[in-house]
């Protein structure tokens, strides 16, 4: 019995040995081994490498976007601080004894430069109520401010102070208060002038609160000193306290002063890629965040595609070697050799020639298909990067330059003018009565009009000029390299008013619009880009006060006047 089993085993071994020692088996085994090893090495090395590259690219883009938002917020805060300082120094102390005239004085300033859209307040020096306010808010004049932090700080400060972001005691809306002392000739504090701005004011924090990154990413604006979320893409997080120490390690580092990028687990247990940028004038910082699942989605999708196609290729190779090895051995060897050279970088990745219409040809065809798909993925990634770069400097709706690009062009124009003694002009254009169109006909009609307005503003402009959209219905035109600056700017303003005055046909509906244009001229001298923008903005509001469909040129020695 034992001898019979031994003989049977010997016969089985003798019958299988030729198969194990055959070149077919060895080639099949070698091919499988090479493919499995190649997949393992690529998964072990290439996948983390690709994820790292994608992470760094997305992190750099997030950092760029966060920096732009931080600069925009910083500019808005500084503009309001400068305004409250200017108003406090310009307020005549004699008006403090005349509440009605004081209220009129506040109303006039508010209409000229309405940066504090929730009102201007003049608080008594003891903090017990108001001397005047504009506009009037029910219950606000009866509030006591003596124990409020920003009021106490303003009494001791020589420069504007900013209060803790909070909900208004009278309105209940999220607000920010900036204040400055009003002093008499003896430098005694006789009142405190305060400006109130709603956090969701257009041009302040509304973009941060309305913008998302990807599908579920977004932005946060954090005040480390107050341990508070000042703004967020998620409205439910506004004015909420920041998470305790230990919940989010990257957040803890940011609260301690770290600025840059990193990956962390948020309070909801979701892994995120975040970028932190400081808002210099406030001590706040902006966080741009996106779930890593969205960041690495292209890599994961490509990995699945790669694995599926690799399995198909392996199956095809085995079938070819088992059925048609004697006939196809040589072409298969040549193809495998070429593929290994491409994988090792010794040969350029390119489609292989198909010499035979059989399984080897199918294998080569599958490889060529994979090469084309990889090229398509690469081209799509480059196009995506180009789109992101374009979006970072252009307005998504009209394709015009955005605020960041305008500031860069304006700084270049000023540097060139200071170097060469040249002149340029800045035109601030605001559409008159545009909001009712959005309210009555919807944002689609409003967006269509804005795109046509952008085209009309660009029509006739030189290659050296810049047309930008700041947001909403506000546009800025930068005219450089001018000989007769004033006449050239006036001529362009007249042309723009005439162009915008042509009726707009939107889906069969005719709209008639006009615009108010403020002109600021740069003819040399110590003036900053922000001051030049402010001059153009002031002149534009003067045009609106004059009845709209007007243009005004700002003169720093006089009130803005129309040519």
């Amino acid at each position: 019995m034992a001898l019979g089993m031994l003989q049977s085993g010997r016969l089985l071994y003798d019958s299988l040995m030729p198969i194990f020692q055959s070149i077919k088996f060895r080639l099949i085994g070698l091919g499988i081994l090479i493919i499995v090893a190649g997949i393992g090495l690529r998964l072990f090395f290439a996948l983390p490498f690709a994820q790292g590259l994608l992470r760094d690219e997305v992190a750099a883009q997030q950092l760029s976007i966060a920096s732009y938002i931080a600069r925009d917020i910083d500019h808005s805060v500084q503009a309001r601080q400068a305004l409250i300082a200017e108003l406090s120094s310009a307020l005549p102390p004699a008006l403090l004894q005349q509440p009605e005239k004081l209220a009129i004085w506040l109303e006039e300033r508010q209409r000229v430069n309405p940066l504090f859209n929730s009102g201007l307040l003049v608080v008594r020096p003891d903090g017990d109520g108001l001397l005047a306010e504009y506009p009037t808010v029910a219950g606000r004049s009866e509030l006591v401010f003596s124990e409020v932090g920003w009021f106490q700080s303003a009494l001791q400060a020589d420069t504007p102070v900013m209060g803790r972001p909070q909900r208004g005691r009278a309105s209940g809306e999220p607000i920010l208060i900036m204040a400055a002392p009003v002093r008499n000739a003896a430098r005694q504090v006789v009142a405190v002038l305060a400006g109130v701005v709603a956090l969701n004011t257009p041009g302040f924090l509304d973009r941060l609160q309305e913008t998302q990154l990807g599908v579920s990413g977004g932005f946060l604006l954090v005040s480390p000193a107050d341990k508070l979320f000042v703004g967020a893409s998620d409205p439910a997080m506004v004015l909420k306290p920041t998470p305790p120490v230990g919940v989010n390690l990257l957040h803890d580092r940011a609260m301690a002063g770290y600025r840059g990028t990193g990956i962390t687990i948020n309070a909801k247990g979701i892994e995120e890629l975040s970028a932190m940028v400081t808002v210099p004038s406030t001590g706040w910082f902006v966080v741009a965040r996106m779930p890593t699942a969205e960041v690495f989605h292209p890599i994961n999708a490509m990995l699945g595609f790669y694995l599926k196609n690799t399995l198909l290729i392996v199956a095809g190779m085995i079938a070819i070697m088992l059925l048609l090895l004697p006939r196809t051995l040589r072409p298969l060897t040549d193809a495998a050799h070429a593929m290994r050279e491409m994988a090792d970088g010794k040969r350029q990745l390119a489609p292989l020639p198909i010499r035979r219409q059989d399984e080897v040809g199918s294998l080569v065809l599958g490889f060529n298909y994979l090469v084309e798909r990889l090229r398509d993925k690469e081209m799509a990634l480059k196009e995506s990067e180009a789109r992101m770069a374009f979006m970072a400097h252009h307005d998504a709706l009209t394709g015009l330059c955005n605020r960041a690009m305008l500031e860069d062009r304006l700084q270049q124009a000023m540097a060139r003018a200071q170097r060469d003694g040249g002149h340029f002009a800045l035109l601030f254009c605001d559409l008159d009565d545009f909001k009712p169109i959005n309210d009555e006909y919807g944002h689609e009609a409003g967006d269509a009009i804005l795109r046509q307005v952008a085209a009309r503003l660009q029509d006739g402009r030189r290659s050296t000029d810049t047309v930008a959209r700041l947001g909403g219905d506000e546009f800025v035109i930068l005219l450089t390299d001018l000989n007769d600056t004033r006449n050239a700017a006036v001529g362009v303003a007249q042309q723009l008013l005439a162009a915008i005055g042509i009726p707009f046909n939107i889906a069969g509906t005719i709209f008639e619009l006009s615009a108010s244009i403020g002109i600021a001229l740069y003819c040399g001298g110590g003036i900053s880009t922000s001051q030049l923008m402010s001059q153009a903005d002031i002149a534009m509001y003067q045009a609106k006060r004059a009845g709209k469909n007007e243009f005004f040129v700002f003169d720093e020695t006089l009130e803005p006047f129309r040519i």
Side-chain angles (χ1 to χ4, degrees):
M1 181 68 180
L3 181 59
M5 292 180 63
L6 181 60
Q7 291 177 344
S8 298
R10 182 70 180 180
L11 291 174
L12 180 61
Y13 176 80
D14 291 341
S15 63
L16 291 177
M17 277 304 295
I19 298 176
F20 293 145
Q21 294 177 352
S22 68
I23 189 172
K24 181 185 294 185
F25 179 83
R26 291 179 181 179
L27 287 175
I28 292 175
L30 180 61
I32 294 175
L33 180 61
I34 291 175
I35 293 173
V36 172
I39 294 174
L41 289 175
R42 291 182 183 183
L43 292 179
F44 186 80
F45 293 106
L47 183 60
F49 178 73
Q51 287 180 334
L53 289 178
L54 182 60
R55 181 190 62 241
D56 293 343
E57 181 65 24
V58 175
Q61 293 173 358
Q62 288 186 206
L63 196 63
S64 175
I65 296 173
S67 299
Y68 165 72
I69 292 178
R71 286 194 301 268
D72 188 61
I73 295 173
D74 188 66
H75 172 76
S76 298
V77 171
Q78 289 183 352
R80 287 166 172 80
Q81 288 178 332
L83 177 60
I84 203 68
E86 179 183 348
L87 293 179
S88 65
S89 62
L91 196 157
L95 289 182
L96 300 178
Q97 309 302 323
Q98 305 175 61
E100 294 183 357
K101 292 185 177 181
L102 180 57
I104 294 174
W105 188 90
L106 293 176
E107 180 181 1
E108 293 174 349
R109 271 63 189 173
Q110 176 75 345
R111 293 186 183 278
V112 171
N113 199 347
L115 291 180
F116 294 101
N117 63 325
S118 292
L120 294 171
L121 319 174
V122 180
V123 186
R124 298 179 183 274
D126 59 1
D128 188 13
L130 303 178
L131 291 172
E133 66 174 328
Y134 181 83
T136 301
V137 176
R140 187 159 62 182
S141 62
E142 300 172 5
L143 298 176
V144 177
F145 301 91
S146 57
E147 300 299 326
V148 178
W150 59 263
F151 177 78
Q152 295 178 350
S153 299
L155 292 177
Q156 308 297 325
D158 293 324
T159 57
V161 300
M162 187 170 66
R164 171 189 172 98
Q166 61 183 354
R167 293 195 178 275
R169 291 187 290 172
S171 65
E173 296 293 327
I175 61 170
L176 183 66
I177 299 178
M178 300 180 188
V182 179
R183 302 180 183 273
N184 58 17
R187 302 298 297 165
Q188 296 175 328
V189 177
V190 293
V192 171
L193 177 64
V196 185
V197 59
L199 293 182
N200 58 357
T201 298
F204 191 40
L205 300 186
D206 60 322
R207 296 174 188 168
L208 179 143
Q209 295 175 350
E210 297 172 359
T211 304
Q212 283 191 332
L213 279 177
V215 177
S216 57
F219 299 90
L220 297 172
L221 180 60
V222 184
S223 172
D226 302 316
K227 296 182 178 180
L228 199 67
F229 291 116
V230 180
S233 299
D234 181 2
M237 296 181 66
V238 177
L239 297 185
K240 297 294 185 181
T242 57
V245 175
V247 173
N248 187 326
L249 299 182
L250 185 61
H251 173 77
D252 295 343
R253 292 178 61 195
M255 294 290 283
Y258 171 75
R259 299 295 180 265
T261 62
I263 294 179
T264 186
I265 305 295
N266 65 19
K268 297 180 179 179
I270 300 174
E271 186 179 74
E272 292 181 336
L273 176 62
S274 300
M276 287 72 66
V277 178
T278 296
V279 181
S281 63
T282 62
W284 302 341
F285 63 90
V286 173
V287 182
R289 55 184 188 147
M290 180 187 293
T292 54
E294 293 184 32
V295 175
F296 297 133
H297 175 71
I299 296 294
N300 295 331
M302 187 173 65
L303 174 62
F305 176 81
Y306 173 77
L307 292 176
K308 292 177 181 178
N309 281 272
T310 301
L311 292 175
L312 293 176
I313 292 174
V314 170
M317 288 180 63
I318 293 176
I320 291 172
M321 288 187 289
L322 287 174
L323 299 175
L324 302 173
L325 184 60
R327 180 180 176 184
T328 60
L329 184 59
R330 182 62 183 176
L332 183 59
T333 303
D334 293 341
H337 182 68
M339 293 178 188
R340 284 195 294 271
E341 286 185 341
M342 292 181 189
D344 294 336
K346 298 178 181 178
R347 179 174 173 178
Q348 184 179 3
L349 185 64
L352 295 174
I354 302 175
R355 295 188 173 93
R356 296 171 59 178
Q357 300 299 322
D358 55 10
E359 288 79 6
V360 174
S362 298
L363 176 63
V364 175
L365 182 63
F367 175 77
N368 293 344
Y369 177 71
L370 177 61
V371 170
E372 292 299 326
R373 292 302 299 269
L374 290 175
R375 287 179 173 177
D376 292 342
K377 292 288 185 181
E378 183 179 3
M379 292 179 62
L381 182 59
K382 290 181 179 179
E383 291 174 358
S384 177
E385 293 173 353
R387 286 194 299 271
M388 292 295 292
F390 182 85
M391 291 171 60
H393 298 89
H394 292 79
D395 176 60
L397 176 64
T398 63
L400 299 178
C401 296
N402 60 13
R403 182 185 293 271
M405 179 65 79
L406 174 64
E407 291 178 353
D408 182 69
R409 296 276 180 88
L410 186 55
Q411 290 176 354
Q412 292 180 19
M414 185 166 290
R416 187 165 58 254
Q418 292 173 350
R419 182 182 65 248
D420 302 332
H423 300 156
F424 64 91
L426 196 68
L427 282 66
F428 197 114
C429 177
D430 186 272
L431 300 181
D432 298 327
D433 300 323
F434 178 74
K435 184 177 182 298
I437 295 177
N438 273 337
D439 294 341
E440 183 175 355
Y441 296 94
H443 288 284
E444 292 183 359
D447 290 347
I449 291 177
L450 290 177
R451 285 190 287 267
Q452 291 192 22
V453 168
R456 295 183 185 184
L457 295 180
Q458 286 184 299
D459 187 29
R461 302 285 73 76
R462 302 169 301 167
S463 60
T464 57
D465 298 337
T466 299
V467 181
R469 179 180 178 228
L470 299 185
D473 57 349
E474 294 182 339
F475 299 85
V476 172
I477 299 91
L478 173 61
L479 307 175
T480 59
D481 300 328
L482 303 177
N483 294 324
D484 187 352
T485 310
R486 183 182 298 275
N487 288 335
V490 168
V492 171
Q494 292 172 337
Q495 183 262 323
L496 294 180
L497 290 180
I500 295 174
I502 299 173
F504 296 82
N505 188 334
I506 307 298
T509 302
I510 305 300
F511 298 90
E512 295 186 354
L513 287 176
S514 62
S516 299
I517 300 178
I519 304 174
L521 306 177
Y522 180 82
C523 301
I527 183 173
S528 66
T529 57
S530 60
Q531 289 174 322
L532 195 66
M533 284 283 291
S534 179
Q535 289 178 359
D537 186 56
I538 291 173
M540 182 273 292
Y541 276 105
Q542 190 71 6
K544 284 190 177 295
R545 293 178 61 187
K548 305 178 182 178
N549 197 29
E550 296 281 350
F551 63 90
F552 274 75
V553 181
F554 181 89
D555 189 327
E556 62 185 2
T557 62
L558 302 170
E559 290 292 328
F561 62 95
R562 184 169 68 87
I563 296 296

